[in-house]
Amino acid sequence: MKAKITDNAARKTASPAVSVLIPFLRDDPSDLLQLLDEEAASVDGAVEIIVLDDGTADADLTARLVKQVKAMALPARLITLSANEGRAIGRNRLATAARGGSLLFLDSDMRPDHRRFLRDWAELVAKEDPAVAFGGFSLLQAPTDAKFQVHRSMAAKSECVPYTERAKQPEKYVYTSNLLVRRDVFEAEAFDSGFTGWGWEDVEWAMRVSRRFRVVHLDNAATHMGLDTVDALARKYEQSAPNFARMAERHPEIVAAYPSYKAAKLLKRIPGLPALRGLMRKAAGAEALPVAARAFSLRLYRAALYADAV
């Protein structure tokens, strides 16, 4: 697919060590770009930014981003696609455009939790040049609206994990929301373009990579701003079931230890599971129930979706 490319003046002469790769679809990454650009002086040309619009098709947003990218102090490129290519293919496209020896995958709905975010990544690369490193993410700046309470509860428990705990299962706690990958590692193990829609392509990638390279966890967190309503999260889980099946088929020995896999195996034995799925989804959306009960129901719903895949 032909892409429209917009480079700023700083990119022409830069020799970055770290390329920050930001894919987005229908989100507006302008706030993130502004925050990152505030660190331009502290990284002194060591970091470039590459943004991929994966088929948003919003002319007004594109015009604003073109203007913003051209004005940035950090070396920057905007890649605009006319149609969606998908998360895995998009990340591979971003990596091809990158010039740094290390690639920092950063989701567009992330916000750095401190003003040393890029500098800390650049210093880590300069001193240690890790194969793979995950900085973690938090909910410090995330919205606190009632409609996001269930997702906030689930993310706080299973995803916003201290780096010391993440390091105990390094391949499990790897998300492309704040992930540094050395170029040679990415070229050896690219994201599988067979994963479509939402979910699991980053975890499956980490399973492959961890067999060959060390995965480092550190405390350089960014906030995940993109919390979802129960309905939106349930739709993502529905999309993710085929991806979970693909991952389970490829890495059965690892996936077998996952709580979601164990729950799916148990639920598979229950007669009338399709009808129960509807009840689980309904309970997750019932605002009268406590948040913990709704979160539990949504986890059950996800496991029930995955039952067909195990």
Side-chain angles (χ1 to χ4, degrees):
M1 181 187 303
K2 189 175 181 180
K4 178 183 177 183
I5 305 295
T6 302
D7 290 343
N8 68 357
R11 180 178 167 85
K12 296 177 183 177
T13 57
S15 299
V18 179
S19 297
V20 183
L21 309 182
I22 306 172
F24 75 93
L25 176 63
R26 291 186 290 274
D27 290 326
D28 183 348
S30 57
D31 288 346
L32 173 59
L33 294 179
Q34 179 180 339
L35 289 171
L36 295 177
D37 204 40
E38 290 174 3
E39 293 195 55
S42 68
V43 295
D44 192 26
V47 178
E48 70 172 354
I49 308 294
I50 305 178
V51 189
L52 172 69
D53 180 350
D54 196 7
T56 298
D58 183 332
D60 291 338
L61 176 59
T62 298
R64 284 192 288 107
L65 288 176
V66 166
K67 183 177 180 180
Q68 183 177 12
V69 163
K70 287 183 176 179
M72 288 175 68
L74 286 169
R77 164 173 284 187
L78 170 65
I79 303 172
T80 306
L81 300 180
S82 59
N84 179 252
E85 287 189 328
R87 290 161 63 94
I89 296 175
R91 290 193 180 104
N92 291 339
R93 181 187 280 272
L94 280 163
T96 300
R99 297 176 299 173
S102 291
L103 315 175
L104 177 61
F105 292 92
L106 189 65
D107 282 354
S108 61
D109 59 0
M110 303 296 286
R111 300 291 181 272
D113 282 346
H114 56 84
R115 297 303 174 92
R116 305 177 313 278
F117 180 75
L118 290 182
R119 188 179 71 188
D120 284 358
W121 278 122
E123 289 180 352
L124 177 71
V125 168
K127 293 176 182 177
E128 301 181 25
D129 197 22
V132 181
F134 180 62
F137 61 83
S138 75
L139 296 169
L140 291 178
Q141 306 171 67
T144 57
D145 310 49
K147 63 184 178 180
F148 301 131
Q149 283 183 332
V150 172
H151 192 184
R152 173 180 277 273
S153 172
M154 295 174 72
K157 181 177 181 179
S158 61
E159 297 171 353
C160 300
V161 180
Y163 75 98
T164 51
E165 291 300 312
R166 288 187 262 121
K168 296 175 183 178
Q169 290 182 283
E171 83 287 336
K172 181 177 181 181
Y173 296 103
V174 170
Y175 311 99
T176 48
S177 50
N178 186 14
L179 178 68
L180 184 85
V181 185
R182 203 170 60 216
R183 179 178 291 278
D184 63 295
V185 176
F186 187 83
E187 290 174 350
E189 294 285 357
F191 289 96
D192 180 2
S193 59
F195 283 83
T196 58
W198 184 88
W200 298 110
E201 80 282 351
D202 43 9
V203 178
E204 190 277 334
W205 175 86
M207 290 176 182
R208 283 185 277 121
V209 166
S210 64
R211 292 189 173 103
R212 303 174 59 186
F213 303 95
R214 183 182 176 215
V215 178
V216 175
H217 286 270
L218 69 152
D219 185 15
N220 190 17
T223 292
H224 179 210
M225 300 293 290
L227 296 181
D228 287 313
T229 63
V230 167
D231 186 59
L233 201 54
R235 290 198 301 271
K236 286 183 175 179
Y237 290 156
E238 289 156 8
Q239 288 181 38
S240 74
N243 286 353
F244 185 83
R246 186 179 181 88
M247 180 181 67
E249 182 181 7
R250 292 186 168 195
H251 309 278
E253 72 289 351
I254 299 177
V255 177
Y258 282 21
S260 53
Y261 179 88
K262 294 176 180 179
K265 292 287 284 186
L266 290 173
L267 290 168
K268 191 179 183 75
R269 304 173 187 172
I270 298 176
L273 182 58
L276 286 175
R277 284 186 190 130
L279 293 176
M280 294 169 187
R281 200 182 195 284
K282 186 175 181 180
E287 297 180 4
L289 292 176
V291 170
R294 297 174 66 194
F296 178 72
S297 297
L298 194 53
R299 288 192 186 94
L300 275 181
Y301 178 64
R302 178 179 58 190
L305 290 168
Y306 294 171
D308 293 338
V310 301

